[in-house]
Amino acid sequence: MNEMQAQRLVELYSDMILRIAYHYMNHCSDAEDICQSVFLKYLTMNKHFKDREHEKAWIIRTTINECKDSLKSAWRRKTVPLDAAADKEIPAEPQGELSQAIKKLPKNYRLSIYLHYYEGYSAREIGLFIGKSENTVCAYLSRGRKKLKDILSEGDEGGFRNVRV
């Protein structure tokens, strides 16, 4: 695709894509991200359209699908807009025996346990965050739980208290 074709696409469809995406996403910046995604998909595909109506229908369907994908993404479910975050206070550092024990774990175990148990991410998602495989993260979680059990049982003179890890 050449520069003239790309310019034609932007002139013909950018307003329409932005309007559709805005109605789905309710934020201008999200609509702009969707618009970029749709244009990238268009520019990187090898599909040829019968006519302009076919092309327009593909653009509309792709825009709607991008919006739906964005709304159901894990990132979107677990984040808040920046302006909403400004109203929140920084949470106090968790105190307690379990929190102190978690701090004693090696970095990979500590991070995996925190992301899994406190933030609710799956081993696969954690693996994507830290650049490790899902199996490696599962091993970190398993070894981290064992180390936590050992750390917590040391403080109880050999007996393990009813602390759920």
Side-chain angles (χ1 to χ4, degrees):
M1 172 165 288
N2 64 30
E3 192 174 327
M4 282 182 52
Q5 288 174 311
Q7 185 64 32
R8 178 190 67 84
L9 281 174
V10 170
E11 288 173 6
L12 279 176
Y13 300 118
S14 61
D15 286 342
M16 178 188 69
I17 294 169
L18 286 169
R19 283 193 304 274
I20 293 169
Y22 180 79
H23 285 288
Y24 257 91
M25 309 302 288
N26 291 326
H27 290 339
C28 287
S29 59
D30 292 336
E32 290 167 351
D33 291 343
I34 296 296
C35 189
Q36 285 183 346
S37 296
V38 171
F39 283 135
L40 280 173
K41 278 192 177 199
Y42 187 99
L43 295 172
T44 58
M45 69 171 196
N46 289 327
K47 185 174 177 89
H48 298 284
F49 299 103
K50 294 183 275 186
D51 54 26
R52 291 263 168 104
E53 284 303 311
H54 184 220
E55 179 182 65
K56 184 177 180 180
W58 184 90
I59 295 276
I60 291 170
R61 185 75 252 161
T62 303
T63 301
I64 291 169
N65 288 342
E66 284 292 314
C67 291
K68 287 179 179 181
D69 290 347
S70 178
L71 287 172
K72 67 183 176 184
S73 73
W75 179 86
R76 187 163 196 78
R77 287 191 314 263
K78 297 180 185 216
T79 59
V80 296
L82 191 56
D83 53 347
D87 298 337
K88 302 287 183 191
E89 289 185 27
I90 296 173
E93 186 175 330
Q95 299 298 316
E97 188 178 359
L98 182 58
S99 294
Q100 296 306 314
I102 290 172
K103 287 180 182 179
K104 295 178 183 177
L105 294 174
K107 179 183 70 166
N108 286 331
Y109 298 173
R110 184 175 61 240
L111 184 59
S112 297
I113 284 182
Y114 174 79
L115 289 173
H116 184 70
Y117 289 103
Y118 288 85
E119 298 297 330
Y121 287 103
S122 69
R124 185 182 62 74
E125 292 170 319
I126 295 168
L128 292 173
F129 295 152
I130 65 174
K132 303 287 182 181
S133 72
E134 182 177 353
N135 289 336
T136 300
V137 173
C138 288
Y140 289 162
L141 290 169
S142 177
R143 292 174 190 153
R145 285 189 294 264
K146 182 177 181 336
K147 282 191 175 284
L148 270 178
K149 184 176 179 178
D150 293 343
I151 292 168
L152 291 169
S153 64
E154 285 173 8
D156 196 27
E157 288 131 50
F160 181 68
R161 281 187 245 179
N162 291 328
V163 177
R164 192 139 175 92
V165 180

